[in-house]
Amino acid sequence: MHHKYIIIGAGPAGLQLAYYFEKSNEDYLILERGNCSGNTFKTLPKHGKLISINKVYTGYHDDGVNLRWDWNSLLNDEGFLFKNYSEKYFPDAKDLVHYLNDFKEKFGINVAYHTEIVSIEKSECFSLSDADGNVYTCENLIIATGLSKEKKPCFRGSEYVKSYTEASINPDDYKNKSVLILGKGNSAFETADNLIETASVIHLLSPAPVKMAWKTHYVGHLRAVNNNILDTYQLKSQNTILDAEVTSITKDKDKYIVDFSYTHANGQNWQVVVDEIISCIGFYFDNSIFKGDAVPQLTENKKYPNMTEYWESSNIDGMFFAGTIMHMRDYNKSFSGFIHGFRYNVKALAEILKMKQGKNAFHRENMNSFESAYEKIMYRIHSNSSLYQQPGFISDVLLISDKGVEYVVDMPVDLIENTYQKSNHIRLTFEYGKKEHPDPFNVIRMPDDGDSSTFIHPVFRVYKDGAIVDEYHIPEDLQNEWNKEMYTTPFKNFLKMVLPLERKNMSQGKRHETLGNYCS
């Protein structure tokens, strides 16, 4: 069975890419080891609650704008949205499974379920063998399996530790017990929150301090929905948050003695005695099915496959990655590890695959006047979800040449760096402020200084011959609406200075040429 493209994994990333393959009538097949799409969400997160928000009532009627607060829908032109499956702000995972399977049916996506791939090799093309002895071949292989292998702790006595996926989620099993949870991410705090009413003492332990999403603006850090236990620690109500590293665990009858070394106390050694130990230290990419010349390089920390700006394997031509594992390119910076981030990456990957076939890719429009460019920019600022959900990672580009100005939407910044390295262009991104504030709820603002803005706002960077020559930030706005005169007048003045387009005088019917100081 040969196909031009084979996708491994029928989760949200695999389905999203297949949607675009269907649109362009590509020859593809998704191979899925489970019995349905989104199979992982049947068991994870363990407590069945997503932390991807689902804001149904926004006050806006534009689906593009509403996707800024809809973190579960896949991109489509038909308005097939997750909000029709749940109105919960933090929805149940089972509803996402329902949505994904209906998405597969609605768009006629080609999936072979119950197909577990056990071996992938490459010679002239990719060869995939499943557990039943069937062989599939393809020219291009897209891995959309996510981070599927759970990390295990490594220290003396780690055999006494239960993993996040193995541990009971029944609070009654922990009545009056002391529990040590390894990790300080959302899975660790989700686990702690579930046990707070029944466990006698809960310790959360990892070497690094807690990072709060509301401070870092990174949704992978600890979310407020999971942080109840922080109050109990700061108010000395038995539970603790420890910045430390476990050195050993020993068993004494029905108890476990945990020795650890503090990170921020001059290496002080300490000990706690607990009844249960649960590891919530995350997942990583499983490369066990790849053989010989088909084994992808991994990043230094072994968490992700290493990949180029095309999301193509750094050492294997024709092997691409989709979904959570795309996060290798913007780890801890933007939101590619989550549906509301990687759905835009997958859309861009579909365009990249067209580009590699020599086809027209990425939506483009010619700007014939200053007014048309300004109106396009303002429309994108107020309607896009892609730049908003992938801050600093996805960009619009105004390409400037002797032929005029061409507007290109939704290109990854990494790809722009490679493709338009020596060109004249202007990039539009959305970004949070770079400066960290000790208290993010007590920030002194400079309303006229966009460069000092803390919250998300539009950013323009001007490049001449590939080098940045100017930068402009429209200041943050309380409701993200930048059509007020306090923003539009200075922005128009900036745009007139850098954009070499004829400007129409609409009231007098005259035309005069404005030459960009940098890009003419």
Side-chain angles (χ1 to χ4, degrees):
M1 291 173 273
H2 183 81
H3 295 273
K4 185 174 183 178
Y5 298 103
I6 286 181
I7 303 168
I8 302 181
L15 296 179
Q16 183 70 87
L17 184 57
Y19 169 83
Y20 289 110
F21 281 169
E22 285 286 337
K23 288 282 186 181
S24 55
N25 199 30
E26 298 287 359
D27 171 30
Y28 77 93
L29 173 65
I30 297 180
L31 303 177
E32 167 58 49
R33 67 180 177 182
N35 63 359
C36 70
S37 298
N39 189 61
T40 298
F41 292 100
K42 291 166 70 174
T43 54
L44 294 175
K46 279 290 293 294
H47 301 88
K49 184 73 67 178
L50 300 174
I51 58 172
S52 49
I53 68 170
N54 175 49
K55 198 167 191 299
V56 175
Y57 303 105
T58 67
Y60 292 95
H61 301 288
D62 184 299
D63 284 347
V65 177
N66 285 334
L67 281 171
R68 294 180 177 184
W69 308 287
D70 170 358
W71 292 7
N72 300 284
S73 292
L74 300 185
L75 303 178
N76 63 89
D77 299 326
E78 291 76 11
F80 190 74
L81 302 172
F82 180 74
K83 69 179 182 180
N84 297 316
Y85 288 75
S86 174
E87 291 194 354
K88 291 182 179 179
Y89 191 75
F90 294 110
D92 297 329
K94 62 181 176 61
D95 291 325
L96 181 60
V97 175
H98 188 189
Y99 169 74
L100 293 174
N101 282 278
D102 284 357
F103 187 95
K104 180 260 180 190
E105 292 299 323
K106 178 174 179 63
F107 297 110
I109 291 172
N110 189 17
V111 181
Y113 294 120
H114 302 288
T115 306
E116 182 177 5
I117 298 302
V118 296
S119 175
I120 298 174
E121 299 178 358
K122 188 185 182 188
S123 53
E124 292 183 4
C125 63
F126 292 97
S127 178
L128 297 78
S129 301
D130 70 15
D132 296 322
N134 300 308
V135 176
Y136 308 82
T137 60
C138 62
E139 300 159 43
N140 297 278
L141 178 64
I142 297 96
I143 311 298
T145 53
L147 302 174
S148 58
K149 195 164 186 177
E150 191 168 10
K151 288 183 182 177
K152 303 291 184 183
C154 184
F155 46 73
R156 186 163 60 88
S158 60
E159 65 270 20
Y160 301 123
V161 178
K162 293 179 181 177
S163 71
Y164 169 71
T165 55
E166 296 168 341
S168 169
I169 61 172
N170 183 355
D172 289 343
D173 291 340
Y174 300 87
K175 279 185 177 177
N176 209 30
K177 289 184 177 181
S178 56
V179 182
L180 172 67
I181 298 172
L182 303 179
K184 294 202 200 89
N186 281 293
S187 61
F189 276 86
E190 163 205 317
T191 300
D193 197 48
N194 184 52
L195 305 182
I196 204 166
E197 293 179 351
T198 56
S200 60
V201 176
I202 302 172
H203 305 285
L204 286 102
L205 182 152
S206 74
V210 174
K211 290 185 177 180
M212 302 300 302
W214 42 255
K215 184 174 183 180
T216 64
H217 300 135
Y218 175 66
V219 298
H221 289 152
L222 180 59
R223 304 284 298 287
V225 68
N226 287 326
N227 74 7
N228 288 335
I229 199 171
L230 293 180
D231 272 2
T232 70
Y233 169 55
Q234 290 294 341
L235 300 176
K236 287 298 179 184
S237 298
Q238 292 193 288
N239 303 319
T240 69
I241 312 295
L242 306 171
D243 294 351
E245 192 160 0
V246 174
T247 53
S248 69
I249 298 174
T250 52
K251 188 172 184 180
D252 182 13
K253 297 179 182 177
D254 293 330
K255 302 286 185 178
Y256 299 101
I257 302 168
V258 182
D259 289 286
F260 59 88
S261 175
Y262 280 108
T263 306
H264 303 121
N266 293 320
Q268 180 187 35
N269 296 315
W270 208 254
Q271 190 178 82
V272 293
V273 180
V274 297
D275 298 296
E276 298 279 354
I277 308 166
I278 304 171
S279 173
C280 302
I281 57 176
F283 294 79
Y284 63 99
F285 178 68
D286 185 0
N287 69 341
S288 60
I289 61 174
F290 301 93
K291 311 298 179 186
D293 292 337
V295 178
Q297 290 177 347
L298 301 180
T299 53
E300 188 174 347
N301 64 3
K302 310 298 183 185
K303 185 178 177 73
Y304 294 101
N306 203 29
M307 61 192 79
T308 71
E309 67 274 15
Y310 300 105
W311 293 294
E312 186 173 19
S313 170
S314 57
N315 66 310
I316 302 170
D317 292 343
M319 179 184 289
F320 297 86
F321 303 99
T324 298
I325 45 183
M326 288 174 146
H327 202 21
M328 177 263 158
R329 299 294 307 178
D330 63 337
Y331 185 56
N332 273 356
K333 296 176 183 177
S334 197
F335 307 144
S336 297
F338 313 87
I339 293 174
H340 68 283
F342 69 63
R343 61 190 176 190
Y344 304 102
N345 296 357
V346 173
K347 179 184 177 185
L349 175 59
E351 297 298 309
I352 287 169
L353 293 172
K354 285 183 189 175
M355 211 167 62
K356 285 183 171 289
Q357 298 178 61
K359 297 179 180 178
N360 292 330
F362 294 99
H363 179 74
R364 299 162 185 264
E365 292 180 38
N366 291 319
M367 300 291 103
N368 298 316
S369 67
F370 177 86
E371 278 74 17
S372 65
Y374 174 76
E375 288 171 8
K376 177 69 175 181
I377 291 168
M378 294 304 288
Y379 171 77
R380 286 289 291 168
I381 283 175
H382 290 97
S383 68
N384 86 82
S385 59
S386 51
L387 312 183
Y388 190 94
Q389 294 289 30
Q390 285 290 64
F393 189 71
I394 298 287
S395 175
D396 284 0
V397 192
L398 286 87
L399 300 174
I400 301 168
S401 68
D402 294 340
K403 297 178 180 178
V405 176
E406 189 177 38
Y407 199 107
V408 187
V409 301
D410 292 347
M411 288 193 78
V413 169
D414 288 348
L415 184 61
I416 295 169
E417 294 281 358
N418 183 56
T419 307
Y420 303 116
Q421 191 173 23
K422 297 297 183 183
S423 73
N424 298 337
H425 63 275
I426 301 172
R427 301 179 195 174
L428 163 60
T429 55
F430 273 44
E431 298 178 21
Y432 289 94
K434 301 300 181 187
K435 183 180 178 182
E436 283 197 19
H437 298 273
D439 182 354
F441 298 102
N442 184 20
V443 176
I444 296 174
R445 293 191 305 111
M446 304 297 291
D448 297 328
D449 180 16
D451 192 30
S452 67
S453 292
T454 299
F455 287 100
I456 199 162
H457 61 282
V459 180
F460 296 83
R461 292 186 175 89
V462 184
Y463 291 79
K464 181 175 174 61
D465 299 327
I468 187 168
V469 294
D470 206 348
E471 183 172 319
Y472 185 85
H473 295 242
I474 300 181
E476 64 188 68
D477 179 76
L478 181 65
Q479 295 177 299
N480 298 327
E481 294 180 355
W482 290 278
N483 51 8
K484 306 174 182 72
E485 185 179 354
M486 65 179 290
Y487 306 130
T488 58
T489 297
F491 173 59
K492 270 189 176 180
N493 290 337
F494 164 77
L495 202 60
K496 290 174 190 174
M497 186 173 63
V498 300
L499 199 60
L501 276 171
E502 290 183 324
R503 189 170 188 278
K504 298 177 182 177
N505 186 320
M506 302 303 291
S507 60
Q508 301 177 20
K510 296 179 181 178
R511 297 163 67 99
H512 66 275
E513 194 167 14
T514 302
L515 295 177
N517 290 349
Y518 309 116
C519 294
S520 56

